Structures are given as structure tokens and as C-alpha cells.
Amino acid sequence: MTQPWSPAPASGTAVPARREPANLADILERVLDKGIVIAGDIRVNLLDVELLTIRLRLLIASVDRAKEMGIDWWEHDPTLSSSAHDLADENRRLRERIGELEPGHEHKPGGELPASARNGHRVPRDEPAVRVGAFPDER
Amino acid sequence: MSGYATWVYAVTRDLRPDALSEVAGVAGEPVRTVTGHGLTAVIGSVDAEQFGEEGFERRLADPAELAAIARAHHGVVEAVSAAQAALPLRLATVYRDDDRVRDMLGQRRGDFAATLTWLAGRAEYGVKVWADLQELSVTGDEPPAAAGGPSGSRQGAGAAYLSRRRAQLSARDRRRQAAAEGGAAIHTALSALAAAGRQHPPQDIPLPGDHDRPGDGQPELMVLNGAYLVEPGSLPQFSHAAQSAVSARPGFRLELTGPWPPYSFAGGPEGTA
């Protein structure tokens, strides 16, 4: 990950030398969620920011598909290009997550997701309660 | 009715005429300004249908379009901000025409002028801190006596498993707690060196299975996603403080970003924007 003014290990100087392209997650976080909100004349209902961000990550994960579409901006985004080896796995997990989020969005645009959508696929992992049955000799 | 609507990028005071010559807007349009009430709005004309309610929402739902629009909006805001103190507007603030934008400047001129004065000469910097839970130094982490040893001989395998598991869970809770406290302490320290500080939600979006247990599958947790309004003169000190705070904590990692236009501070000193 390129860090615009990351710690300089040897010299100890830390002032950013120059501005580098910001990563997309940082930009989205700011343009979608920060900045002054003024009610304009045209009401645009932005999707839930989390959903937008996840969809974006999903697209990024689908590198081959995106390349077919002629989109290659991530090549210039060090945050994204450095994690290529995790993409297949992340892709799968994001698809599951989108499955959870989308129904909630359709019913309540921009609002809270229904509990069912949020909890839908939660997998109990490593819970002691799950293991008790596997070790019946507990006294 | 015209086929164009007016997209607003930012509000500022006077702007050098050449400040916007290098940038294009969200529709690829040339960026221009409308002035009134001592303020300048940086705007662009976009197709009223393409950027109307229905069509636009559909486009924003397309990640590739959203990415392009977000980058273009940010590009304009950044160009304005490089030239002059500016208030970034949230993505997708659209008016019927330029006159409506001028009206808006008049209605909000008091707030805008005060916030622009407050922001003048300052820039936003982002500080992200991650903690690797496995590498944190936390006291009281030693695992309990191994099951199956002499003292554990009367315990069944299940009970031994459970007690081991319980110890692991509480060790992890302690680590998570220590990570969160570290993040909070860094935020407090950096806020004291800045004109203002804001915390944003962490960017590690929970995925199925780790929703209620961040840090379970991924050892690195984002413990701080902060934004700070910093004066150029105190930037070296600020940056040094961030690095010292992180390197003093084993397992912590730092990423500094910026300078940003003051997105996180556009609401003014009291605002939460």
C-alpha cells in the first residue's frame, strides 16, 4: 500500500513530499458521507454507503470482468492492486454480503436494514456451545 | 425548461480564474463558477435527464460509474481547495439552474463565511491505525495449564477444550480492548495537536461470519480512522506525534493520508460533517 506520507524508516522526516492519488475507499468515504449537505432541487437518494462500498469492492474483485469492460483504474490504485491474491475469496464473501444487503435496500432505500438481512448468514464459529455436543464427557 | 441542471462541487470565496482550467466535472463538463453574496460556488452543467433523480440513482448504483463520478467530484473539489479555502459539498448536490445556486449562497452565507474563515490555511489529514491482534503486547496472556497434564487428568476432553477456549476468548477480548484503547489514545493525542479532529467509522467492513467478531478471521483491526484539521506549520509535529504514538505500540501500523480538502470539517467547528 502506498502511503502518501508514510513513516520514513531511516531519515525520520515525515512531511509528505508530494501528493499521490488518493485511494478510492478514502474518496468515497468523504464524498458520500462528509462534506456539506444541502438539499438541492433534485433529490438523489444515494444508496446506503456500506452497500455502495461493498458493490465497489465486488467489482474490484472481479478483475477480469472489469478488464473486459475496459476499466483499469485500480491498476493505478496501490491499495487495490496489492491485494490481488485475496480477490477470489473476497469476491465470494462479498457476494454473500450483497445478498444480505440488497433485500433490505429494496424495501427501505437508504435506511436501516431489517434485522433479518443483517443477521441472515451469520455463522456461529468456535462457540463453546457448538462444541459441547462433540465432547459429551463434560461433567 | 432547459436540458441542463447545475451540479455544485464546492463553495469558496474568490477564485483565481485559472484555478479550474485543468479539471473537468462529473459529466466531463468544463467547471465554472457562479458568484453572489461575497461567495463563489463552483459548478458545472450536467444533463438534466442523465443526472435527474431516476437515471442518476441507477448510475450511482453501478460501481464503475460511481467510482468515476466520485473521482471527478473529488478532483474538482481538490483543485478548488488547492487554490483557496473551500467547503466541499456532498456528492450529488444538484440544482435546476445557476440562479437557484445563487439563492442558496444567499441563504447560507453566514454559515459559509464563518466556516471558510475557520478553515483558511488549514488542511485535512487522514490517520488510519491498524492493530495486529496477534502482535499486541497484552499482560495476562499466558494460556492456562495444558489440558491432559497432571493437573488436568481428571478433566474430560470436552471440559479441557472449553476451559482452553474460554481462556482464548478472553485473551482475544483483552487484545481487542487494548487495541481499541490504543486507537482512542492516539485520537486524543492527535486531536490536541490539531485545530479539530473527527473519527470516521473503520473501513474494515464486516463480512458474514465476522460481523460480531471483528478480528476473528483477520488479525488486523482498524482501530482508528481519524481526520484532523492541521495548520501547515504544525504538520511536522503532528506527523511525528502520529508516528511516535504508533511505533510505541507493538503490533500497531500507521497510514497517513492527505492533504485533503476539508470534507470532514465542512460543517464548521461545531459541525459533525
Side-chain angles (χ1 to χ4, degrees):
Chain A
M1 185 175 300
T2 301
Q3 300 169 9
W5 37 297
S6 59
S11 71
T13 57
V15 182
R18 52 175 296 273
R19 188 182 300 224
E20 302 212 8
N23 95 42
L24 190 58
D26 289 346
I27 292 178
L28 285 178
E29 169 180 276
R30 285 173 168 82
V31 302
L32 292 174
D33 209 26
K34 312 288 174 257
I36 298 189
V37 182
I38 304 172
D41 292 331
I42 295 174
R43 302 274 165 173
V44 179
N45 231 331
L46 290 177
L47 296 183
D48 176 76
V49 173
E50 183 188 4
L51 180 57
L52 285 172
T53 312
I54 289 179
R55 292 180 85 130
L56 204 65
R57 285 171 66 192
L58 179 60
L59 176 91
I60 292 158
S62 310
V63 174
D64 291 339
R65 197 182 129 246
K67 271 188 176 157
E68 285 166 18
M69 294 159 65
I71 302 159
D72 67 349
W73 45 258
W74 68 84
E75 311 249 354
H76 313 293
D77 194 326
T79 314
L80 305 174
S81 51
S82 64
S83 57
H85 56 283
D86 296 331
L87 291 180
D89 185 50
E90 178 160 33
N91 196 339
R92 178 184 53 74
R93 298 206 298 166
L94 290 170
R95 283 188 192 285
E96 287 171 18
R97 183 66 171 150
I98 282 191
E100 289 179 48
L101 289 165
E102 301 240 79
H105 170 68
E106 276 172 25
H107 296 306
K108 301 171 82 177
E112 267 283 301
L113 294 168
S116 61
R118 271 181 277 132
N119 300 330
H121 295 287
R122 188 173 301 174
V123 184
R125 294 194 305 182
D126 295 339
E127 293 290 336
V130 175
R131 302 293 181 152
V132 168
F135 296 90
D137 60 342
E138 219 234 318
R139 278 171 262 260
Chain B
M1 170 153 174
S2 90
Y4 289 94
T6 304
W7 180 290
V8 191
Y9 295 92
V11 172
T12 181
R13 296 192 208 268
D14 300 324
L15 203 58
R16 288 196 323 260
D18 64 341
L20 300 171
S21 57
E22 302 270 294
V23 289
V26 292
E29 86 282 4
V31 178
R32 52 201 181 82
T33 58
V34 56
T35 57
H37 311 277
L39 296 166
T40 298
V42 177
I43 58 172
S45 293
V46 296
D47 185 285
E49 207 156 298
Q50 269 189 18
F51 286 84
E53 293 164 31
E54 205 176 310
F56 189 42
E57 279 176 32
R58 222 177 10 249
R59 292 178 58 197
L60 285 183
D62 175 346
E65 293 246 31
L66 171 67
I69 290 171
R71 280 191 187 280
H73 182 83
H74 172 65
V76 175
V77 170
E78 202 166 41
V80 177
S81 186
Q84 173 70 281
L87 303 177
L89 265 67
R90 188 163 303 185
L91 190 85
T93 308
V94 185
Y95 285 87
R96 277 200 309 276
D97 54 38
D98 294 7
D99 286 340
R100 294 278 302 144
V101 177
R102 204 173 281 115
D103 292 347
M104 177 271 286
L105 290 178
Q107 285 158 18
R108 302 283 298 265
R109 66 179 178 275
D111 292 350
F112 287 171
T115 306
L116 284 168
T117 301
W118 179 63
L119 291 173
R122 295 164 167 170
E124 175 174 334
Y125 288 85
V127 176
K128 291 187 265 187
V129 178
W130 286 266
D132 185 332
L133 293 186
Q134 251 109 67
E135 288 182 24
L136 288 193
S137 68
V138 177
T139 51
D141 253 6
E142 291 69 32
S151 67
S153 59
R154 290 194 44 84
Q155 272 190 329
Y161 171 83
L162 284 176
S163 87
R164 220 166 42 237
R165 188 65 201 145
R166 222 172 280 127
Q168 275 170 12
L169 283 175
S170 75
R172 200 170 45 203
D173 287 345
R174 276 201 303 278
R175 283 163 179 276
R176 247 188 236 113
Q177 175 83 18
E181 283 167 2
I186 293 170
H187 176 70
T188 305
L190 294 182
S191 296
L193 295 174
R198 304 266 190 273
Q199 285 198 71
H200 299 165
Q203 287 178 350
D204 37 9
I205 297 169
L207 291 168
D210 58 22
H211 184 86
D212 51 352
R213 287 185 182 286
D216 227 19
Q218 52 195 68
E220 271 209 326
L221 271 185
M222 188 184 274
V223 296
L224 175 61
N225 184 19
Y228 303 88
L229 191 65
V230 181
E231 282 163 28
S234 50
L235 182 58
Q237 192 196 359
F238 178 86
S239 157
H240 184 261
Q243 287 169 50
S244 310
V246 166
S247 51
R249 293 174 165 82
F252 278 54
R253 183 167 68 81
L254 174 70
E255 184 190 343
L256 298 163
T257 63
W260 289 93
Y263 287 102
S264 305
F265 303 95
E270 314 297 324
T272 52

